[in-house]
Amino acid sequence: MKLADNKATLSFSNGAPSVELPVYQGSIGPDVIDIRKLYGQSGSFTYDPGFLSTAACQSAITYIDGDKGELLYRGYPIEQLAKNCNFLETCYLLLYGELPNEAQKAEFENTVTQHTMVNEQMQFFLRGFRRDAHPMAVLTGLVGGMSAFYHDSTDITNPEHRNIAAIRLIAKMPTLVSMAYKYGVGQPYMYPKNDLSYAGNFMRMMFGNPCEEYKVNPVIERALDRIFILHADHEQNASTSTVRLCGSSGTNPFAAISAGVACLWGPAHGGANEACLNMLEDIQANGGIAKVGEFMEKAKDKTSGVKLMGFGHRVYKNYDPRAKLMQETCNEILQELGLEKDPLFALAKQVEKIALEDDYFVSRKLYPNVDFYSGIVQRAIGIPVNLFTGIFALARTVGWIAQLNEQMGDPEYKIGRPRQLYTGAAQRDVQPIGKR
């Protein structure tokens, strides 16, 4: 963070003295006006619901330019990482700042692989949940519960503890997600297998059974790996900000990541691809592809209450760069599995076609986002809709822990304490109950 040559001046029309505010520059992106001393100098707070114009931290991990449709991990374009690296290389990059060389990659992958098993008591913990519990409810409990099993890595102020927790979380999340799935469908858990890739191992734990050998489909394996890469981090979004805020209190890393899982569950965030598939299934149930045009017309009418899920993005005012990559993967998967003519997927393609050609959606830049395509891919692979957000949590865990590590190493970090604009009653006296 570099101090700019210029300063910002805040003036007041009520005659109060003007306030000079420092301006800082990042390596790329907008400058920031430092308002940390604003209250002390003026007695005023700023008001910014949703943090639309507020930088709550400085970070060197991920950069997004929504107008250009650009996403960088540690300076590397997401397109290059998705095509040239696997997920664990991307994890290494997010955690340590640089892509690994061959020796570092081999060591990191081996370390993660050796920590994929979870404590056997975790399966007893699972039995406390109903079989029909939403997987995200289960995951929130399991991730938070890890702090009860791994006491040697719960000091968030200790860099070594945070690194151990990072490895454990990255390694064990596929195991926990697959256990949550297997528990829900009443199938036996599958232990990790160390000779498989990260994505391949997850596939086996999800879809394998003890009665026969599971063969990993390389096309599906690569598709899952790409999904993980594209969801690994996304700057200061709702769940990442939740993890940072939770971590700022000094709570343990597992609790902070569990808070991120809970936040991600929301349909406006990680649950968006689940909401997208539910939308497609609703269209299918109400007439299918013949009714797509009618549905899209309703989506254009703000009074209809119909929402087009999986299109547009709060940050990207251009095409989501992740969506382009996910679109390629989507086509590859549908072709590999012979699902090009599946009614639901054909319907999705028609929705996509209309949105990309209709002036209403194009002029508003409501392009298909990553959630639209990743939901289709996951359904084609066989992942149930209610587990989509669990896959997202699995992938985003590395981003959360990287952001948490960065925050805890920042000498300027403080416990999060947002201010408010109070609009309630002024001070008043309590009356005896007979006079109320």
Side-chain angles (χ1 to χ4, degrees):
M1 191 165 70
K2 176 186 175 185
L3 188 64
D5 295 331
N6 60 305
K7 294 184 178 180
T9 302
L10 178 63
S11 58
F12 301 89
S13 59
N14 63 359
S18 297
V19 177
E20 272 199 349
L21 301 167
V23 176
Y24 288 96
Q25 298 173 327
S27 49
I28 48 177
D31 294 346
V32 297
I33 301 169
D34 186 348
I35 61 169
R36 282 176 287 184
K37 297 181 180 179
L38 177 63
Y39 178 63
Q41 292 176 314
S42 69
S44 299
F45 298 139
T46 57
Y47 182 65
D48 185 19
F51 305 108
L52 299 180
S53 298
T54 299
C57 64
Q58 55 176 307
S59 179
I61 298 173
T62 302
Y63 174 75
I64 298 171
D65 188 321
D67 294 328
K68 293 180 180 177
E70 186 177 74
L71 171 61
L72 309 177
Y73 289 173
R74 300 286 190 179
Y76 293 106
I78 191 66
E79 298 89 339
Q80 294 181 23
L81 291 169
K83 291 178 180 178
N84 299 302
C85 300
N86 66 23
F87 177 62
L88 288 182
E89 285 178 89
T90 305
C91 289
Y92 188 98
L93 170 68
L94 291 172
L95 286 174
Y96 306 121
E98 297 293 342
L99 285 168
N101 58 33
E102 288 185 9
Q104 290 168 331
K105 177 186 175 184
E107 182 182 1
F108 183 72
E109 289 183 346
N110 181 64
T111 302
V112 170
T113 301
Q114 295 300 320
H115 287 83
T116 50
M117 292 185 68
V118 298
N119 192 294
E120 281 290 284
Q121 286 181 261
M122 277 287 188
Q123 59 180 282
F124 300 111
F125 188 8
L126 267 167
R127 292 179 189 177
F129 294 98
R130 286 171 50 127
R131 292 275 181 182
D132 61 354
H134 195 288
M136 288 299 283
V138 177
L139 274 179
T140 303
L142 291 179
V143 174
M146 286 176 71
S147 58
F149 292 94
Y150 303 107
H151 302 291
D152 60 340
S153 55
T154 55
D155 182 359
I156 202 169
T157 64
N158 185 321
E160 185 178 351
H161 280 216
R162 294 199 305 272
N163 189 59
I164 293 170
I167 297 297
R168 283 176 169 157
L169 283 160
I170 294 166
K172 299 179 193 302
M173 277 299 282
T175 311
L176 295 178
V177 172
S178 63
M179 287 177 72
Y181 169 68
K182 290 291 194 183
Y183 179 74
V185 296
Q187 293 180 6
Y189 306 125
M190 295 291 287
Y191 287 106
K193 200 172 181 186
N194 290 355
D195 61 346
L196 295 176
S197 71
Y198 189 86
N201 195 27
F202 177 63
M203 288 169 59
R204 179 182 171 276
M205 289 191 291
M206 280 285 294
F207 304 120
N209 65 73
C211 303
E212 58 193 23
E213 189 64 28
Y214 180 83
K215 292 184 179 180
V216 176
N217 182 317
V219 177
I220 298 177
E221 180 182 26
R222 178 58 186 158
L224 265 179
D225 196 75
R226 178 169 283 190
I227 287 174
F228 297 159
I229 291 171
L230 297 182
H231 289 85
D233 197 53
H234 208 238
E235 211 211 72
Q236 305 310 315
N237 53 80
S239 58
T240 298
S241 299
T242 297
V243 169
R244 279 181 172 265
L245 187 61
C246 192
S248 75
S249 73
T251 191
N252 70 77
F254 303 108
I257 301 306
S258 178
V261 174
C263 181
L264 191 71
W265 191 357
H269 191 11
N273 49 17
E274 181 177 346
C276 179
L277 252 293
N278 289 335
M279 174 195 75
L280 292 174
E281 289 177 346
D282 285 343
I283 299 173
Q284 183 70 10
N286 289 285
I289 201 163
K291 296 291 185 180
V292 170
E294 184 180 316
F295 174 85
M296 297 298 275
E297 287 301 314
K298 288 180 181 177
K300 293 192 283 187
D301 181 2
K302 292 183 179 179
T303 64
S304 70
V306 172
K307 288 187 177 181
L308 180 62
M309 305 302 295
F311 289 77
H313 196 279
R314 175 169 168 179
V315 173
Y316 296 110
K317 306 309 175 188
N318 202 317
Y319 211 102
D320 182 343
R322 302 169 301 167
K324 294 178 182 178
L325 296 159
M326 208 65 247
Q327 183 188 44
E328 293 174 12
T329 299
C330 183
N331 291 330
E332 289 170 6
I333 284 292
L334 295 184
Q335 184 177 357
E336 170 68 16
L337 299 177
L339 294 171
E340 303 100 314
K341 296 182 180 179
D342 179 274
L344 192 71
F345 298 134
L347 187 154
K349 287 291 184 183
Q350 186 62 20
V351 170
E352 175 193 37
K353 183 176 185 294
I354 294 174
L356 291 176
E357 293 177 355
D358 190 303
D359 286 340
Y360 178 89
F361 299 106
V362 173
S363 64
R364 289 165 174 76
K365 299 184 177 179
L366 295 175
Y367 303 113
N369 60 36
V370 69
D371 298 312
F372 180 76
Y373 295 114
S374 66
I376 296 171
V377 170
Q378 290 181 73
R379 185 181 185 275
I381 290 171
I383 295 169
V385 174
N386 68 353
L387 197 64
F388 286 1
T389 317
I391 304 298
F392 195 159
L394 185 166
R396 183 56 58 84
T397 293
V398 64
W400 289 331
I401 199 73
Q403 296 272 351
L404 188 63
N405 283 348
E406 181 181 63
Q407 173 184 271
M408 301 311 295
D410 184 350
E412 292 190 336
Y413 109 87
K414 294 178 174 62
I415 184 171
R417 180 59 173 87
R419 299 295 192 168
Q420 67 174 16
L421 177 64
Y422 178 68
T423 57
Q427 183 174 332
R428 49 186 173 169
D429 295 325
V430 176
Q431 297 296 321
I433 193 167
K435 294 184 178 181
R436 293 177 204 164

